């Protein structure tokens, strides 16, 4: 995966952000199988990869936080 880096960003300062500008999957195999079988394996692996599925077909996301065993809302806590 390629990514940008922001060297002036800080988690403590609250200005750190993460982004991705491209995704590249590299696969290296050693196999005595015929090319047709190797191709079939690669296609099946790609079709059943949860990461690729999530990136290709974004699903709703949610963050549930607990602190000391209790539900915690970071937005509400940071506004006080």
């Amino acid at each position: 995966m390629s990514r940008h880096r922001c060297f002036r960003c800080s988690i403590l300062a609250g200005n750190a952000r993460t982004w991705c500008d491209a995704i590249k999957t590299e696969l290296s195999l050693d196999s005595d199988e015929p090319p047709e079988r190797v191709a079939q394996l690669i296609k099946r692996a790609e079709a059943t990869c949860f990461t690729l599925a999530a990136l290709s077909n974004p699903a709703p996301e949610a963050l549930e936080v607990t602190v000391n065993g209790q539900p915690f809302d970071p937005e509400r806590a940071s506004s006080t």
Side-chain angles (χ1 to χ4, degrees), residues 12 18 25 28-29 35 39 41 55 57-58 61 66 71 73 76 80:
L12 296 176
T18 301
T25 304
S28 176
L29 300 172
L41 173 67
L55 294 168
N57 306 296
E61 60 178 282
T66 58
D73 182 350
R76 186 171 164 191
T80 58

Side-chain angles (χ1 to χ4, degrees), residues 5-10 13 15-16:
R5 291 185 179 174
C6 180
F7 293 105
R8 294 178 296 203
C9 299
S10 167
N15 62 356

